[in-house]
Amino acid sequence: MKRHNFASLFLAALPLLASCDDGRIYPETVAAQEGKAVKLEGVLEGMDSWSGSYHLAIAGFSDGNGEYADISKIITATDVQDGKASIVLSGIKEDIVEVRLCVLDRLRRHIVTFESVDVTAASDTVRMNVGTRNVGMFGAIQQSVFNTTCANCHGASNEAAAGLYLTEGRSYAAMVGQPSSKVEGRHIVEPAAADKSVLYQALAGDISAAWRYNHQSEVTSTDMLLLISNWINNGAKE
């Protein structure tokens, strides 16, 4: 009698055993990463112009004016397929308020931002579509220095002080390897030689004190001056 009851119980349990092996993976078996995510898409130009001291990255900051990234993912050539980048920064915790496409130094300290998104109201994945963006060293200098400061006098009003145009699309050809109208025998930008370049000397030193306008006060950020110096010393690539 006991043997018969055992067989009956076994046969009754067979449908339940079969239902456990239906081929699906249930949530408890998936190791999901907690937090939000940002997916960056676009065409990134000039990535290879950065030296080992800097890293192009997608990074999260817990303070909107934060200097150091709380979380980051370095962007490399393997993240670009057929000229297009598709990068996901995941595991973004609730205290992160902003995610930036930016440049960080070796200490994950913010140097310059190309694009940013607010993630405070996000619950899942936020898309960051940057289109076609110049993210090279020169592009960073153009965006952060020439566009915001220098171009006001050098070309933004269709006139350029000292005949030097620093507006986007014209600045590189106007500076690199071009003779200075202020300092005889010198170039505005001498590739691989910041100490001989009139641009850097005017911004970082007092060479322009005797000119109509002293340019030393235009760029006060030591990080940006170092970036300009490194760009020139690394060959002043466009």
Side-chain angles (χ1 to χ4, degrees):
M1 185 69 178
K2 290 182 180 179
R3 186 177 298 171
H4 176 74
N5 288 342
F6 178 78
S8 299
L9 290 171
F10 178 77
L11 291 173
L14 281 177
L16 296 175
L17 292 173
S19 68
C20 292
D21 189 21
D22 62 2
R24 288 183 291 174
I25 299 176
Y26 289 84
E28 59 267 27
T29 67
V30 178
Q33 189 170 11
E34 295 182 358
K36 309 170 187 178
V38 169
K39 184 174 184 179
L40 181 151
E41 293 180 310
V43 177
L44 306 180
E45 300 177 340
M47 285 177 54
D48 59 352
S49 66
W50 291 99
S51 69
S53 301
Y54 303 100
H55 300 291
L56 182 68
I58 177 171
F61 297 79
S62 57
D63 181 349
N65 296 315
E67 185 179 5
Y68 290 88
D70 296 88
I71 181 174
S72 65
K73 176 179 173 59
I74 295 173
I75 301 173
T76 66
T78 59
D79 295 309
V80 180
Q81 300 295 328
D82 298 324
K84 296 182 180 180
S86 181
I87 306 137
V88 175
L89 177 67
S90 56
I92 301 171
K93 297 182 179 180
E94 289 297 325
D95 61 336
I96 301 298
V97 299
E98 183 181 32
V99 172
R100 306 170 187 168
L101 169 62
C102 61
V103 174
L104 306 174
D105 67 9
R106 290 175 178 172
L107 300 176
R108 292 207 308 185
R109 189 161 56 95
H110 169 264
I111 302 299
V112 63
T113 293
F114 295 104
E115 189 80 29
S116 67
V117 291
D118 187 323
V119 296
T120 52
S123 59
D124 193 0
T125 299
V126 178
R127 293 188 177 275
M128 182 191 291
N129 193 326
V130 300
T132 299
R133 183 62 62 91
N134 185 334
V135 294
M137 290 185 81
F138 181 69
I141 294 167
Q142 180 71 52
Q143 174 185 295
S144 301
V145 179
F146 300 152
N147 286 356
T148 60
T149 302
C150 306
N152 292 331
C153 293
H154 291 277
S157 61
N158 296 323
E159 294 184 6
L164 176 61
Y165 283 86
L166 295 180
T167 48
E168 197 157 351
R170 302 187 68 172
S171 58
Y172 187 86
M175 293 187 303
V176 179
Q178 297 300 315
S180 169
S181 63
K182 293 291 188 179
V183 182
E184 187 176 355
R186 292 283 184 92
H187 291 126
I188 300 172
V189 171
E190 179 69 43
D195 60 334
K196 296 180 180 178
S197 298
V198 174
L199 171 71
Y200 181 71
Q201 293 303 311
L203 295 174
D206 60 0
I207 193 174
S208 66
W211 301 354
R212 183 178 178 182
Y213 180 75
N214 189 341
H215 294 66
Q216 193 173 7
S217 61
E218 288 300 306
V219 181
T220 57
S221 167
T222 55
D223 288 333
M224 199 54 59
L225 288 173
L226 181 60
L227 178 60
I228 294 170
S229 174
N230 286 337
W231 167 66
I232 296 173
N233 286 332
N234 284 332
K237 298 176 184 178
E238 187 171 10

